[in-house]
Amino acid sequence: MNFKDSMKDKVENIENVIRSFLPEETGFQKTIFEAMNYSVLAGGKRLRPLLMEECCRLFGRESREVAYFMAAIEMIHTSSLVHDDLPAMDADEYRRGRKTTWVVYGEDMAILAGDALMIYAFETAAKAFAVTDRPDLTGRCIGILAEKTGIYGMIGGQTVDVELTGKEIPAEKLDFIYRLKTGALLEASMVIGSLLGGASSEEAGIMEQVASDVGLAFQIRDDILDVSSSPEVLGKPVRSDEKNHKTTYVTLEGMEKAERQVEFYSRRAVEALEGLPVRNEFLNQLLLTLITREK
């Protein structure tokens, strides 16, 4: 099976995993369930749970716990997107080709849906204790998930990003924002997947650095697409960074250097993977596609 077909099958399987953990849309509070499910099922690359699953496979140990963490990481990612789209943040009305959560359900319910997804993610991850024979490791993975999500991870990066909107941002602060806002959840995905797959602490550390490079490459590529793509291809408005007066790698360094940086970080990540004694060719190819993705 070629990479494209394999990718399609894996994403379909991940969709089924995620669906299996979503709440039923019943009861007096069913509106929040509907808003949560609308947000999570809006589509997307499912990159984070995919990376988690493939890192688990890389180290070869079967893991019953990984599905719980795959669903949780996608809920956290979706929570951040719901909040990012709000009028107080990026004020985006479309994402992945359809109306954003706040447009459909209102700002108040979108705020609650984002909050609910964040909490439900950890409720979902905690359910892994019921199926594990490694409770210490499961607890460690929940701790990693929390750290990479919170003030020392994604939310910390978002904070600096929001504070500096409309202001000139030096390169070192832009790196900081990208490594936390985007990179932290990728690090959580790859480290948790690796540990559940049987990686040593040293190997997990290598995977964390790989994920950091992948996150930076992914976000710089996002900057490029915001300028060079179209709403039809991207599934969301383009030039939103310009509209919101945000400094990006493209505005700071120019398109040509930004393209070179994507390639540099992506290839460094793949080279680090190739230095490990284990192999997952699909994972290598997945990281390489980040260089040339068009949406």
Side-chain angles (χ1 to χ4, degrees), residues 49-163:
L50 181 58
L51 285 170
M52 185 181 290
E53 185 174 46
E54 292 306 315
C55 287
C56 189
R57 285 177 175 153
L58 174 66
F59 291 96
R61 189 188 194 281
E62 289 292 324
S63 170
R64 291 183 294 174
E65 307 93 338
V66 71
Y68 296 82
F69 285 94
M70 287 164 60
I73 199 79
E74 193 65 14
M75 291 174 194
I76 291 169
H77 174 56
T78 302
S79 169
S80 74
L81 300 182
V82 171
H83 284 168
D84 274 352
D85 291 335
L86 288 166
M89 302 282 274
D90 292 343
D92 282 331
E93 296 186 9
Y94 285 89
R95 181 178 289 277
R96 296 167 178 165
R98 67 177 187 170
K99 290 182 178 179
T100 49
T101 306
W102 75 267
V103 174
V104 176
Y105 291 93
E107 290 182 56
D108 50 2
M109 201 56 61
I111 292 169
L112 289 172
D115 292 345
L117 282 168
M118 183 72 74
I119 297 299
Y120 194 59
F122 286 94
E123 181 180 337
T124 300
K127 289 176 181 175
F129 281 116
V131 302
T132 189
D133 57 359
R134 303 176 291 174
D136 289 350
L137 180 59
T138 297
R140 180 183 176 188
C141 288
I142 290 174
I144 292 168
L145 191 64
E147 180 182 345
K148 297 297 186 181
T149 299
I151 55 176
Y152 300 108
M154 179 189 74
I155 291 173
Q158 288 176 318
T159 299
V160 179
D161 188 28
V162 169
E163 286 182 332

Side-chain angles (χ1 to χ4, degrees), residues 10-253:
K10 289 174 184 291
V11 171
E12 285 179 0
N13 288 335
I14 288 170
E15 290 286 345
N16 291 332
V17 169
I18 292 168
R19 283 178 183 274
S20 72
F21 287 101
L22 293 178
E24 293 184 17
E25 297 175 4
T26 60
F28 289 123
Q29 77 274 46
K30 72 175 183 178
T31 303
I32 195 65
F33 300 151
E34 291 171 359
M36 291 166 67
N37 294 350
Y38 176 86
S39 305
V40 174
L41 298 177
K45 292 172 282 293
R46 306 306 192 197
L47 178 62
R48 290 150 192 83
L50 181 58
L51 285 170
M52 185 181 290
E53 185 174 46
E54 292 306 315
C55 287
C56 189
R57 285 177 175 153
L58 174 66
F59 291 96
R61 189 188 194 281
E62 289 292 324
S63 170
R64 291 183 294 174
E65 307 93 338
V66 71
Y68 296 82
F69 285 94
M70 287 164 60
I73 199 79
E74 193 65 14
M75 291 174 194
I76 291 169
H77 174 56
T78 302
S79 169
S80 74
L81 300 182
V82 171
H83 284 168
D84 274 352
D85 291 335
L86 288 166
M89 302 282 274
D90 292 343
D92 282 331
E93 296 186 9
Y94 285 89
R95 181 178 289 277
R96 296 167 178 165
R98 67 177 187 170
K99 290 182 178 179
T100 49
T101 306
W102 75 267
V103 174
V104 176
Y105 291 93
E107 290 182 56
D108 50 2
M109 201 56 61
I111 292 169
L112 289 172
D115 292 345
L117 282 168
M118 183 72 74
I119 297 299
Y120 194 59
F122 286 94
E123 181 180 337
T124 300
K127 289 176 181 175
F129 281 116
V131 302
T132 189
D133 57 359
R134 303 176 291 174
D136 289 350
L137 180 59
T138 297
R140 180 183 176 188
C141 288
I142 290 174
I144 292 168
L145 191 64
E147 180 182 345
K148 297 297 186 181
T149 299
I151 55 176
Y152 300 108
M154 179 189 74
I155 291 173
Q158 288 176 318
T159 299
V160 179
D161 188 28
V162 169
E163 286 182 332
L164 294 176
T165 296
K167 300 176 183 178
E168 198 168 308
I169 305 176
E172 64 270 18
K173 281 193 175 181
L174 193 61
D175 272 359
F176 177 87
I177 291 168
Y178 286 3
R179 289 190 184 279
L180 269 66
K181 184 178 177 181
T182 300
L185 284 193
L186 295 179
E187 290 169 16
S189 301
M190 295 181 72
V191 171
I192 290 170
S194 298
L195 289 171
L196 292 176
S200 66
S201 292
E202 182 181 354
E203 289 168 332
I206 293 170
M207 297 305 289
E208 184 173 27
Q209 184 56 53
V210 168
S212 178
D213 283 345
V214 169
L216 200 49
F218 189 86
Q219 188 58 55
I220 297 171
R221 186 65 182 158
D222 216 44
D223 291 347
I224 292 168
L225 292 175
D226 188 65
V227 174
S228 64
S229 191
S230 67
E232 293 75 22
V233 172
L234 209 54
K236 63 179 181 178
V238 296
R239 296 193 176 273
S240 60
D241 293 327
E242 181 181 307
K243 178 187 73 175
N244 292 311
H245 308 290
K246 284 189 174 182
T247 300
T248 71
Y249 258 83
V250 174
T251 62
L252 197 64
E253 305 285 2

